[in-house]
Amino acid sequence: MSLFSYVRRVYALDTIDTRFTTSSSTPFKAIDSRIDPAKCTAARDEPLQGVPMHKGSKGQPVAEPSKWATPEFYFYYFIFIIAVPYMFWVAYDVSRPSDPRYHKYEDLLSDGWVPERKIDVSDSQYSTFRENIPYMSILVICHPLFRRFYNTLRPLSKTRAVQNGQANGTNAHHISAAEAEARLDQRATFDFGFALIFLTALHGFSALKVVSILYLNFCIATRLPKQHVPIMTWAFNVGILFANELCAGYHFASIVEFMSPTGQEGAEKMPNWGTWMDSHGGIMPRWEILFNITVLRLISFNMDYYWSLDRRAASPMEKKQLDPANLSERDRISLPADTKDYSFRNYIAYILYGPLYLTGPIITFNDYISQLKYISPSIETSRTIKYAIRFLLTLLSMELVLHFDYCVAISKADPNWSDYSPAQLSLLSYFNLHVIWLKLLIPWRFFRLWALMDGIDPPENMVRCVSNNPSTLAFWRGWHRSFNRWLIRYLYIPLGGSTIRGRYAMARSALNYLLTFTFVALWHDISLNLLAWGWLIVFFMLPEVLAGYLFPRKNFAARPTAYRCLCAVGAVGNIMMMMMANLVGFAVGVDGLKSIIYGVFHDFSGMAFLVTACSALFVGVQVMYEIRESEMRQGIFMKC
């Protein structure tokens, strides 16, 4: 294989996640798209509203002929050659020491490794992750070694033979039910022990608080009457989100003061053990900061257990005559585990699973148990190595952006946005969104890489680059994808989903969107900016839904180019609205967005730039559409 071919494989969708190239209802090894993608016929998803594509006679999306070598796209290439370097230059130009506003944010910059350039690590979230990469890398290497050592103490000869066969890329070995149970016992026991050690190292004495919450949630699922489990599960976990925020993690000193019969005065006379325990809070004393991701797993276990109670009379596996060692992803998620698998040991092992504990990606309890029993065929050493290379290239991209574009530091220095031109305002905001995307993408890929090395295949969280999203609905399917799938399974579908058939149904769908994104906003953080962000997302979704209803594809069957251009005009509006919503939620807030909008619209030059930017976005959207058409020509159908 040539170097160029290998680089193409590194950037293939199959390398990021085999779920992108295989239908969720088809076992992975049944369709090997790595050999001949053109033979992959898995109609994974339905066409999108806002993305111009048509269906064949069987309802499957059908790709149009390639446009890459047409005069239309040669013109687009010319625009790209001019626009993309200009965008980078504008952001770099305002980040040079010679810029008159440089002194306002210089103190937020740090020494970098690029000669004569500082680095913008003013974002505390990414800065913390970046500083701990060396230590986490050691843990990522040691964790699989610890498991191997544990497996030598509890050897399972037949299971180990199967593992060796899988590692060599062969799937011919059959795993019996007894071997699967033995493998589950081996892996879950190790995960349980490692989780408790890992939790204690991270949070010190606060690990007791985490375990207490986990135990209460387990009791809700297993001890309450069945009909009360869903409502109590949601009430308890949403209440925990608020309680964690309001009580700041329940400091032991505050607990001592509360329990003291004479209040604060009596607590001062007692031994100062509460303050002492608070001072031994481990590596991450503020355990509540990242507990939100744990709440999702708590709800997943309870609801999977609740739904399993309806299926205990007959085994769905036997009814459908499925091979448990070769299940599709959909079956791994939807089919309940055995009754005995909903044990407290497996529960703790799942909730506190080391590689995914801090940030995810999110994997359901049913899927976790299935992968403990049977190795996912998608896990291969060669693919994991390519995924690791892709991660390192992404990390390098982030480092270069932070060395040459100081958009985060500029926005944090309380700038006077009127000092910047419309082009500078727009492109600083644009690159700020890319930094947000990268700072989330990198930790998610790091911890997913750790899970892949450990033999667990969770979903990839980021499907597309933030600059490759013409549809608002599709954007949220691909952004934090595992969370999106969690929302659909545990919240959106139980609320009733969505439909555009009738005014009442559309109103109900809008309400479901509003409830879902209100939860998403509160889950991220209890703040006004994020609540406004969640509601803006719902508001900005409505035009796309209505446009799909008013301008159906079938009405333009004879004019596909006109329909593609019409969709592109709408997509430009989508992109503008998505940028505004995310700037409010994660960057400059409502007031900052008002200042930026005023800076763009306050004179003629701003309006002229806006028209130019929209024209460039129109060109970009056409390329986005053709990328998706190219995927369809390979038999890949995605929802984003």
Side-chain angles (χ1 to χ4, degrees):
M1 180 184 293
S2 66
L3 177 62
F4 179 73
S5 298
Y6 189 79
V7 171
R8 288 190 63 184
R9 291 305 311 155
V10 168
Y11 280 91
L13 282 172
D14 181 72
T15 298
I16 293 299
D17 195 338
T18 58
R19 295 170 178 86
F20 300 159
T21 56
T22 304
S23 169
S24 60
S25 60
T26 306
F28 170 71
K29 65 181 181 182
I31 297 178
D32 196 347
S33 59
R34 296 162 294 155
I35 298 174
D36 188 358
K39 295 181 180 180
C40 177
T41 59
R44 180 173 176 80
D45 299 310
E46 290 298 313
L48 298 174
Q49 294 178 352
V51 178
M53 59 179 69
H54 60 282
K55 300 180 183 179
S57 58
K58 297 182 179 180
Q60 185 178 13
V62 177
E64 297 180 355
S66 174
K67 302 180 183 66
W68 294 120
T70 61
E72 176 189 358
F73 270 72
Y74 284 130
F75 172 73
Y76 296 158
Y77 303 151
F78 174 74
I79 300 298
F80 263 73
I81 291 173
I82 296 174
V84 174
Y86 172 76
M87 293 164 63
F88 279 94
W89 169 256
V90 170
Y92 168 71
D93 187 46
V94 298
S95 302
R96 293 193 295 175
S98 58
D99 186 88
R101 296 149 297 197
Y102 180 80
H103 68 279
K104 296 182 179 179
Y105 59 86
E106 184 179 8
D107 59 318
L108 297 176
L109 305 178
S110 305
D111 294 333
W113 52 266
V114 174
E116 299 182 2
R117 293 295 299 180
K118 291 190 174 184
I119 185 170
D120 179 5
V121 286
S122 56
D123 183 276
S124 59
Q125 188 178 18
Y126 179 74
S127 176
T128 301
F129 174 82
R130 183 176 183 267
E131 292 172 358
N132 287 284
I133 286 179
Y135 310 108
M136 292 187 295
S137 300
I138 294 174
L139 182 61
V140 168
I141 295 171
C142 291
H143 177 258
L145 297 178
F146 291 154
R147 188 183 293 280
R148 286 177 178 269
F149 176 72
Y150 175 80
N151 291 346
T152 61
L153 300 180
R154 292 189 59 189
L156 300 173
S157 57
K158 291 184 179 180
T159 303
R160 187 169 63 245
V162 173
Q163 290 174 329
N164 292 337
Q166 288 282 3
N168 292 329
T170 61
N171 296 323
H173 301 275
H174 175 73
I175 303 178
S176 67
E179 291 170 336
E181 291 297 331
R183 185 174 188 272
L184 168 64
D185 182 67
Q186 183 190 56
R187 287 188 62 92
T189 301
F190 175 83
D191 287 344
F192 175 82
F194 182 85
L196 295 180
I197 297 172
F198 186 52
L199 188 71
T200 304
L202 283 176
H203 307 314
F205 282 109
S206 290
L208 298 172
K209 306 171 191 175
V210 176
V211 174
S212 298
I213 294 173
L214 267 56
Y215 178 73
L216 291 174
N217 184 76
F218 183 78
C219 291
I220 289 174
T222 58
R223 297 188 181 183
L224 288 182
K226 175 188 170 183
Q227 64 271 23
H228 300 319
V229 170
I231 185 67
M232 289 303 300
T233 292
W234 278 97
F236 174 76
N237 283 282
V238 172
I240 285 294
L241 290 177
F242 279 91
N244 287 352
E245 179 76 16
L246 297 175
C247 300
Y250 323 104
H251 294 295
F252 284 109
S254 300
I255 296 174
V256 170
E257 179 182 336
F258 177 78
M259 296 177 63
S260 174
T262 55
Q264 182 178 358
E265 185 177 326
E268 292 175 354
K269 298 178 181 179
M270 295 175 63
N272 200 17
W273 59 269
T275 304
W276 178 80
M277 293 179 75
D278 286 331
S279 66
H280 292 77
I283 301 172
M284 294 179 57
R286 297 189 65 191
W287 61 273
E288 73 278 7
I289 296 298
L290 296 176
F291 192 76
N292 292 12
I293 200 78
T294 304
V295 164
L296 303 182
R297 289 190 287 267
L298 295 178
I299 295 174
S300 175
F301 174 85
N302 283 22
M303 296 306 297
D304 283 0
Y305 176 76
Y306 167 75
W307 287 324
S308 75
L309 299 177
D310 295 329
R311 301 187 179 185
R312 291 187 174 179
S315 171
M317 203 83 66
E318 296 177 0
K319 185 177 180 180
K320 296 183 178 181
Q321 297 183 337
L322 298 173
D323 178 7
N326 188 30
L327 294 176
S328 67
E329 184 200 19
R330 182 177 300 172
D331 288 332
R332 289 203 316 263
I333 293 172
S334 62
L335 295 180
D338 296 334
T339 303
K340 62 180 180 299
D341 293 336
Y342 294 93
S343 65
F344 187 72
R345 181 202 64 177
N346 293 351
Y347 168 73
I348 293 295
Y350 162 68
I351 300 295
L352 303 178
Y353 177 58
L356 306 181
Y357 171 67
L358 292 175
T359 65
I362 305 154
I363 186 172
T364 68
F365 179 79
N366 289 342
D367 195 2
Y368 172 76
I369 292 296
S370 177
Q371 293 197 50
L372 288 192
K373 291 182 176 180
Y374 306 97
I375 302 174
S376 174
S378 61
I379 294 181
E380 295 178 334
T381 302
S382 59
R383 179 181 290 106
T384 303
I385 290 174
K386 290 194 286 284
Y387 188 85
I389 294 173
R390 186 77 175 262
F391 164 75
L392 293 175
L393 291 173
T394 305
L395 182 62
L396 177 62
S397 298
M398 180 63 151
E399 289 289 302
L400 292 176
V401 167
L402 295 181
H403 273 89
F404 291 96
D405 180 358
Y406 301 149
C407 58
V408 179
I410 291 173
S411 65
K412 287 183 176 294
D414 194 21
N416 181 2
W417 293 112
S418 62
D419 291 342
Y420 294 88
S421 70
Q424 292 171 340
L425 281 173
S426 301
L427 291 172
L428 284 173
S429 302
Y430 179 77
F431 279 102
N432 206 333
L433 292 176
H434 281 73
V435 171
I436 293 171
W437 174 68
L438 282 168
K439 80 169 185 178
L440 296 174
L441 173 69
I442 290 172
W444 282 334
R445 284 198 175 167
F446 178 87
F447 289 110
R448 183 171 184 261
L449 174 62
W450 181 4
L452 291 172
M453 293 172 61
D454 190 47
I456 296 293
D457 185 6
E460 174 70 17
N461 261 343
M462 291 293 197
V463 181
R464 304 280 190 188
C465 172
V466 70
S467 288
N468 186 13
N469 288 279
S471 164
T472 306
L473 294 173
F475 174 79
W476 291 112
R477 294 190 187 107
W479 180 283
H480 203 168
R481 182 168 174 265
S482 66
F483 185 32
N484 176 268
R485 289 151 58 95
W486 184 96
L487 287 168
I488 292 172
R489 174 171 171 79
Y490 297 109
L491 182 58
Y492 189 60
I493 295 300
L495 285 174
S498 65
T499 180
I500 57 174
R501 297 178 180 177
R503 295 181 179 179
Y504 173 78
M506 292 180 65
R508 176 69 181 272
S509 299
L511 178 61
N512 291 343
Y513 277 125
L514 184 64
L515 292 174
T516 300
F517 275 94
T518 297
F519 170 77
V520 170
L522 296 176
W523 177 82
H524 277 91
D525 194 9
I526 302 173
S527 69
L528 183 60
N529 278 345
L530 281 171
L531 198 58
W533 164 81
W535 292 341
L536 280 173
I537 292 299
V538 176
F539 178 75
F540 291 158
M541 281 181 175
L542 296 179
E544 181 175 346
V545 174
L546 292 174
Y549 180 73
L550 296 174
F551 302 98
R553 176 70 177 84
K554 62 182 180 181
N555 292 351
F556 294 83
R559 296 172 292 168
T561 301
Y563 184 69
R564 175 164 55 88
C565 292
L566 179 64
C567 289
V569 171
V572 171
N574 278 339
I575 293 171
M576 290 293 187
M577 290 186 291
M578 286 189 288
M579 289 178 64
M580 288 189 289
N582 285 294
L583 284 172
V584 168
F586 300 101
V588 298
V590 176
D591 293 335
L593 179 63
K594 289 179 180 178
S595 300
I596 291 173
I597 292 175
Y598 174 78
V600 172
F601 284 95
H602 79 284
D603 59 17
F604 176 77
S605 63
M607 296 295 295
F609 173 79
L610 182 63
V611 173
T612 304
C614 288
S615 301
L617 286 175
F618 179 88
V619 172
V621 168
Q622 297 292 345
V623 175
M624 296 178 205
Y625 286 162
E626 188 59 21
I627 290 173
R628 286 153 179 78
E629 292 286 341
S630 297
E631 292 170 354
M632 291 168 60
R633 288 190 284 271
Q634 300 175 42
I636 300 172
F637 308 105
M638 300 171 64
K639 273 192 174 181
C640 58

